[in-house]
């Protein structure tokens, strides 16, 4: 008994000793002069180890780095994840940046926030990292979204865009027709089979992404040279088609007004629909073992109206540097590293990341790991940013309300768009 | 002869008189810091144009209130809030009273039933709302399955707000029943016996004995429920987020979107101040009614 107590006591002593000198961990004690930068981002899909590997590699490569003003023994990167809700992230960034916080140096921002943050003066000008001649290496959409008055405020890191999923097997049965190129054709096929066309119609940001794809593919626009042009004949026609999908052609069930991405994928995944608009992430989930539609799903560009090109709403994440960062040069180095072809490829191979650099879509190894990238390349080339405005969140609030009102039949498309025109004009006027 | 009673000096009097105030001071300071100050600050903010986006901050007097007056979205939200509040509170009080009277009678398994009835109230609102969101699902939800119908509960303008009311009634009726049950206990049995002797029917007994004696408690329940329902946020935010087409957007949801999604602190505060005054007004009306009943 006494012996056992002694034994336990000794063990506790050793453990405590280890913890005190930290001699039992593998890492060498950090150089007290090492600088630390903090990287804020939302949780990535898949294995978090993929990002850690890259961070370690960055730290290894940057030992004893020499900057213009200082020589640093090394850079350590602390990565911190934010809640997955986009609203909460936006709120976090705005509140902290407005208060002049320097608690984080590098952070991942949604395409729709770049203009807002840049206008507020919260982002470091990164034009140096992406000179004009290098911009060609990236997809056009994200570059457009990060550029304000010819200055670049963030580097595109991960690209996303709306795609059309279709059931290969059902189209084959229907006479082997190719996936529809126009909205009219989509309606005809879905009505004939008959199976649903599913998209995201709940009142939220995703609805704006969906509606814009119809508006743009009819030749419509939202802003032109800073002027609101949403109440146009093209847009009225396009929005009317969306309403008709539900009310007239009935190829889209009326419960679409409750759908976000995941419930739509769920319906399509159970085989209840022939078409679905969603983001590329759904592909892997639809094709995984046990999925009822495994092997039967195709992915292509969204349809369009006659005589106009198809359009996809751009999504994705960009890396920016906090204007108040205490280590701006180290932060820039980290952004350059993370957005490099090497890092993007690593994330593409490990967690199914969609790179923003066009050249990677010809990389044999990456294409073998993610065969869908070949088709996605065509889609990402058409990806268009939502209106690039510092007041996007305000404009989006108005669009969400009015688009939803049209879909729910509270207003006609004409009423909704004319209300939207004046609301958006007022927002821009108020914030001149 | 010395004086028998020493006359206190002015200083002593002052200390003695202010002693109660001194004892209350710490509590007063805390309440001041966490309640009064924020309220005053929000009032002050409501007189400003203050936007985090674009970093605007300037005093504009009552301009925000003028904007509110002309804001169709505000009136829509106010209408939704009033509809939600009146319908849900009315249903809750009627059903709650019925359940309370049922559970007040002696029967076997009464204790068990009382515990069961409380379950909806014990579930956190967000969890309950998430559960109901699944049950309302237009595709595979249990409600459509049981009814054999295809009702778009949360996605149609006709149903969405009513669907939120059903959930609120399910969740809060137990609370009302519990309070009213306590009230029923306080009514002396002799009164019922006397009513019986006088040959009063159960309905007359209810109207002449139960209801008048429950009146003060009913008013308290109404105050609680009305204020709560008027500020409804989580139930609706989880179910519909205010959609479709703002048909379920209540004042609190609109205020949240203005304050925390678009970060317009000035105008958002104007909305919050308006809700504050409206709630104050409702309380005032009820308290008046309560006083009129007791005197």
């Amino acid at each position: 008994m006494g012996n056992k107590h002694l034994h336990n006591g000794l063990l506790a002593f050793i453990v405590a000793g280890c913890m005190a000198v930290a001699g039992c961990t593998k890492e060498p004690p950090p150089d007290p002069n090492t600088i630390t930068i903090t990287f804020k981002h939302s949780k990535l899909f898949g294995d978090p180890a993929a990002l850690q590997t890259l961070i370690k590699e960055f730290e290894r490569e940057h030992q004893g780095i020499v900057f213009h003003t200082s020589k640093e023994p090394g850079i350590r990167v602390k990565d911190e994840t934010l809640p997955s809700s986009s609203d909460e992230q936006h709120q976090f960034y705005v509140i902290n940046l407005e208060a002049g916080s320097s608690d984080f140096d590098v952070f991942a921002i949604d395409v729709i926030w770049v203009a807002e943050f840049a206008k507020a003066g919260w982002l470091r000008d990164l034009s140096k990292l992406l000179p004009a001649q290098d911009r060609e290496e990236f997809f056009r959409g994200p570059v457009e979204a990060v550029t304000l008055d010819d200055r670049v405020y963030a580097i595109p890191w991960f690209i996303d865009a709306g795609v059309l999923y279709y059931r290969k097997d059902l189209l084959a049965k229907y006479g082997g027709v190719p996936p529809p190129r126009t909205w009219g054709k989509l309606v005809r096929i879905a009505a004939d089979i008959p199976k649903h066309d599913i998209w995201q119609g709940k009142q939220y940001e995703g609805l704006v992404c969906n509606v814009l794809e119809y508006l743009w593919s009819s030749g419509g626009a939202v802003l032109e040279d800073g002027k609101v042009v949403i109440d146009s004949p093209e847009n009225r026609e396009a929005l009317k088609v969306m309403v008709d999908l539900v009310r007239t052609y009935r190829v889209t069930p009326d419960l679409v007004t409750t759908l976000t991405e995941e419930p739509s994928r769920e319906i399509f995944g159970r085989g209840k629909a022939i078409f679905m608009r969603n983001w590329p992430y759904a592909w892997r989930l639809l094709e995984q073992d046990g999925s009822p539609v495994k092997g039967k799903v195709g992915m292509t560009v969204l349809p369009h109206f006659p005589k106009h090109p198809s359009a996809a709403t751009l999504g994705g994440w960009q890396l920016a540097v906090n204007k108040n960062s205490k280590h701006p040069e180290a932060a820039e180095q980290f952004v350059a590293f993370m957005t490099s072809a090497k890092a993007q490829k690593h994330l593409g191979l490990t967690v199914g990341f969609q790179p923003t650099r066009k050249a990677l879509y010809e990389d044999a190894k990456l294409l073998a790991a993610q065969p869908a990238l070949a088709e996605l390349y065509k889609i990402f080339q058409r990806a268009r940013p939502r209106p690039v405005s510092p007041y996007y969140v305000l404009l989006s609030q108005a669009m969400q309300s009015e688009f939803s009102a049209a879909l729910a039949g509270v207003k006609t498309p004409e009423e909704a768009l004319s209300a939207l025109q004046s609301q958006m004009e007022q927002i821009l006027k108020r914030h001149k | 002869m010395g004086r028998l009673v020493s006359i206190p000096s002015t200083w002593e009097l002052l200390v003695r008189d202010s002693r109660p105030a001194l004892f209350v001071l710490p509590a007063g300071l805390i309440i001041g810091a966490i309640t009064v100050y924020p309220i005053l600050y929000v009032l002050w903010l409501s007189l400003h144009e203050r936007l985090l986006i674009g970093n605007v901050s300037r005093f504009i007097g009552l301009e925000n209130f003028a904007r509110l007056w002309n804001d169709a979205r505000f009136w829509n939200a106010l209408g939704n809030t009033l509809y939600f509040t009146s319908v849900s509170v009315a249903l809750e009080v009627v059903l709650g009273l019925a359940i309370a009277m049922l559970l007040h009678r002696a029967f076997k398994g009464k204790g068990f039933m009382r515990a069961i009835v409380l379950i909806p109230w014990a579930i956190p609102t967000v969890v309950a709302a998430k559960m109901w969101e699944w049950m309302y699902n237009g595709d595979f939800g249990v409600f459509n399955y049981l009814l054999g119908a295809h009702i778009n509960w949360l996605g149609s303008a006709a149903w969405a707000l009513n669907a939120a009311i059903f959930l609120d009634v399910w969740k809060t009726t137990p609370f009302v029943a519990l309070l009213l049950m306590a009230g029923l206990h306080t009514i002396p049995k002799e009164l019922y016996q006397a009513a019986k002797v006088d040959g009063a029917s159960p309905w007359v007994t209810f109207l002449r004995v139960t209801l008048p004696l429950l009146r003060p408690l009913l008013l308290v329940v109404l105050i609680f429920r009305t204020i709560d329902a008027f500020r409804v946020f989580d139930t609706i935010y989880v179910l519909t987020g205010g959609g479709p087409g703002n048909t379920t957007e209540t004042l609190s949801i609109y205020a949240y979107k203005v304050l925390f999604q678009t970060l317009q602190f000035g105008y958002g505060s104007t909305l919050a101040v308006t809700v504050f005054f409206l709630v104050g007004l409702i309380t005032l009306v009820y308290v008046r009614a309560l006083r009129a009943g007791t005197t």
Side-chain angles (χ1 to χ4, degrees):
Chain A
M1 274 252 298
N3 221 343
K4 200 173 171 192
H5 273 204
L6 183 71
H7 182 79
N8 283 349
L10 261 178
L11 202 68
F13 182 73
I14 292 166
V15 171
C18 262
M19 283 158 76
V21 298
C24 291
T25 52
K26 284 170 281 166
E27 302 265 326
D31 186 323
N33 296 317
T34 301
I35 57 173
T36 301
I37 57 172
T38 303
F39 174 34
K40 285 261 183 208
H41 57 90
S42 62
K43 201 173 171 299
L44 297 183
F45 278 118
D47 188 5
L51 191 63
Q52 289 311 317
T53 314
L54 281 177
I55 288 176
K56 286 274 163 300
E57 194 175 330
F58 172 79
E59 289 176 347
R60 254 199 323 278
E61 277 182 17
H62 290 78
Q63 277 168 8
I65 180 140
V66 181
F67 291 131
H68 291 301
T69 51
S70 61
K71 182 180 184 304
E72 304 294 348
I75 307 171
R76 290 179 72 83
V77 180
K78 205 164 86 191
D79 87 305
E80 295 176 353
T81 39
L82 285 169
S84 59
S85 143
S86 175
D87 282 337
E88 280 172 47
Q89 290 178 27
H90 179 252
Q91 206 176 309
F92 170 87
Y93 285 138
V94 172
I95 289 171
N96 281 281
L97 292 167
E98 201 258 350
S101 166
S102 58
D103 292 346
F104 50 93
D105 306 275
V106 175
F107 55 117
I109 54 180
D110 198 322
V111 270
I112 52 180
W113 307 334
V114 184
E116 175 191 338
F117 291 7
K119 170 92 195 289
W122 296 333
L123 305 183
R124 188 172 162 87
D125 186 337
L126 298 182
S127 306
K128 239 179 18 211
L129 291 184
L130 194 59
Q133 67 272 18
D134 292 354
R135 292 181 198 167
E136 274 298 297
E137 292 171 20
F138 290 82
F139 285 107
R140 194 155 44 100
V143 170
E144 209 177 297
V146 299
T147 314
L148 224 80
D149 302 326
D150 212 37
R151 310 301 302 168
V152 172
Y153 290 96
I155 311 295
W157 188 37
F158 168 80
I159 185 172
D160 223 356
V163 303
L164 180 76
Y165 290 89
Y166 60 93
R167 286 280 300 279
K168 286 190 288 195
D169 56 328
L170 294 177
L171 287 185
K173 249 191 251 165
Y174 186 68
V177 291
R181 290 287 164 237
T182 63
W183 295 112
K185 185 90 182 144
L186 175 141
V187 169
R188 222 167 307 134
I189 298 175
D192 274 0
I193 288 208
K195 266 199 192 276
H196 290 323
D197 168 37
I198 294 291
W199 34 279
Q200 293 83 49
K202 191 181 170 169
Q203 184 176 343
Y204 80 124
E205 181 62 35
L207 173 62
V208 177
C209 298
N210 277 257
V211 175
L212 288 181
E213 283 157 355
Y214 286 78
L215 304 192
W216 285 333
S217 67
S218 74
V222 177
L223 297 182
E224 236 161 44
D225 304 322
K227 271 223 169 85
V228 183
V229 293
I230 196 149
D231 193 13
S232 66
E234 293 86 5
N235 286 344
R236 282 196 288 265
E237 182 57 34
L239 188 57
K240 192 169 175 302
V241 165
M242 284 187 94
V243 174
D244 285 346
L245 285 175
V246 184
R247 294 185 189 274
T248 311
Y249 313 123
R250 296 178 177 275
V251 297
T252 299
D254 62 355
L255 62 89
V256 75
T257 48
T258 63
L259 295 183
T260 56
E261 285 85 357
E262 274 299 90
S264 343
R265 176 183 66 84
E266 204 273 334
I267 291 175
F268 186 82
R270 274 188 296 129
K272 297 192 83 170
I274 176 168
F275 300 119
M276 169 177 70
R277 182 271 178 208
N278 211 321
W279 305 90
Y281 84 94
W283 175 261
R284 255 172 307 145
L285 300 169
L286 295 169
E287 284 293 314
Q288 72 189 1
D289 290 332
S291 160
V293 295
K294 184 175 158 61
K296 301 174 183 165
V297 181
M299 188 163 64
T300 186
V301 290
L302 285 163
H304 53 84
F305 288 92
K307 288 187 239 149
H308 292 285
S310 142
T313 300
L314 174 77
W317 296 93
Q318 343 298 318
L319 296 186
V321 173
N322 183 350
K323 188 81 166 273
N324 287 313
S325 166
K326 293 207 177 77
H327 310 289
E329 288 177 313
E332 278 184 8
Q333 291 280 329
F334 185 66
V335 170
F337 175 88
M338 285 307 264
T339 54
S340 69
K342 191 174 69 171
Q344 291 199 13
K345 183 175 169 183
H346 175 78
L347 291 174
L349 290 173
T350 47
V351 292
F353 211 73
Q354 291 136 214
T356 47
R357 288 177 179 272
K358 290 190 279 190
L360 286 170
Y361 289 72
E362 285 161 20
D363 185 286
K365 219 170 139 194
L366 199 52
L367 281 174
Q370 286 196 61
L373 285 185
E375 187 65 26
L376 284 175
Y377 180 76
K378 288 187 250 167
I379 298 165
F380 291 156
Q381 271 190 316
R382 292 165 197 275
R384 278 174 70 165
R386 282 156 270 177
V388 179
S389 158
Y391 308 106
Y392 177 75
V393 288
L394 293 167
L395 299 175
S396 168
Q397 268 295 324
M399 287 193 277
Q400 290 172 33
S401 305
E402 296 304 325
F403 291 159
S404 175
L407 287 182
V410 179
K411 290 183 182 175
T412 64
E414 291 80 12
E415 286 167 346
L417 287 177
S418 110
L420 199 46
Q421 176 81 21
S422 65
Q423 283 175 34
M424 291 172 86
E425 276 171 1
Q426 238 174 20
I427 290 168
L428 293 185
K429 202 175 87 193
R430 200 178 294 130
H431 302 294
K432 262 250 156 77
Chain B
M1 291 282 275
R3 281 177 302 186
L4 287 174
V5 184
S6 69
I7 295 169
S9 70
T10 330
W11 172 244
E12 274 176 321
L13 270 177
L14 200 70
V15 170
R16 198 183 297 166
D17 282 351
S18 59
R19 212 177 289 164
L22 280 173
F23 281 127
V24 176
L25 189 65
L29 280 179
I30 291 172
I31 291 173
I34 65 176
T35 317
V36 180
Y37 171 72
I39 290 176
L40 292 178
Y41 186 60
V42 168
L43 262 173
W44 179 239
L45 267 182
S46 73
L47 304 176
H48 287 73
E49 160 111 82
R50 190 160 149 66
L51 294 156
L52 285 197
I53 301 168
N55 214 359
V56 182
S57 186
R58 61 194 176 94
F59 184 84
I60 53 167
L62 293 173
E63 223 173 273
N64 276 333
F65 289 91
R67 178 176 160 196
L68 191 78
W69 187 258
N70 295 313
D71 183 354
R73 200 162 169 180
F74 163 74
W75 292 106
N76 169 60
L78 181 63
N80 289 340
T81 310
L82 291 175
Y83 178 79
F84 178 90
T85 306
S86 49
V87 176
S88 68
V89 172
L91 286 174
E92 279 155 22
V93 169
V94 171
L95 286 173
L97 186 56
I99 292 172
M101 292 184 61
L102 216 62
L103 289 180
H104 185 61
R105 300 165 68 110
F107 63 91
K108 229 177 141 192
K110 182 167 143 180
F112 179 71
M113 279 308 290
R114 281 186 184 178
I116 287 268
V117 159
L118 273 179
I119 287 178
W121 189 56
I123 299 174
T125 311
V126 174
V127 177
K130 209 72 204 163
M131 267 164 48
W132 278 63
E133 192 197 348
W134 287 111
M135 298 199 290
Y136 276 135
N137 187 300
D139 188 24
F140 50 79
V142 69
F143 289 133
N144 277 352
Y145 174 78
L146 290 177
L147 296 171
H150 284 286
I151 297 174
N152 188 12
W153 295 99
L154 300 177
S156 70
W159 279 109
L161 193 54
N162 292 315
I165 288 175
F166 294 152
L167 164 54
D168 197 67
V169 168
W170 171 82
K171 175 144 178 56
T172 327
T173 302
F175 170 74
V176 174
L178 188 74
L179 281 184
L180 293 180
M181 221 153 40
L184 288 173
H185 275 291
T186 63
I187 302 177
K189 280 205 181 65
E190 292 77 13
L191 290 177
Y192 287 108
Q193 285 158 358
K196 209 169 183 180
V197 171
D198 289 345
S201 69
W203 179 241
V204 170
T205 313
F206 172 74
L207 284 182
R208 298 281 170 82
V209 180
T210 313
L211 220 45
L213 288 169
L214 266 186
R215 189 189 141 94
L217 201 70
L218 269 173
L219 275 167
V220 170
V221 167
L222 278 173
I223 294 181
F224 268 124
R225 284 307 309 141
T226 308
I227 293 176
D228 253 6
F230 197 82
R231 297 175 310 181
V232 63
F233 176 77
D234 36 11
T235 311
I236 293 180
Y237 190 73
V238 173
L239 280 185
T240 62
N246 294 343
T247 50
T248 59
E249 189 169 270
T250 57
L251 286 174
S252 296
I253 296 215
Y254 185 36
Y256 172 82
K257 285 181 180 169
V258 172
L259 274 168
F260 296 109
Q261 282 186 347
T262 59
L263 304 155
Q264 310 173 67
F265 286 170
Y267 191 54
S269 299
T270 308
L271 274 168
V273 165
T274 309
V275 173
F276 176 81
F277 280 119
L278 287 172
V279 168
L281 197 71
I282 292 169
T283 317
L284 206 70
V285 170
Y286 276 132
V287 169
R288 278 273 165 87
L290 195 61
R291 268 210 204 118
T294 46
T295 53

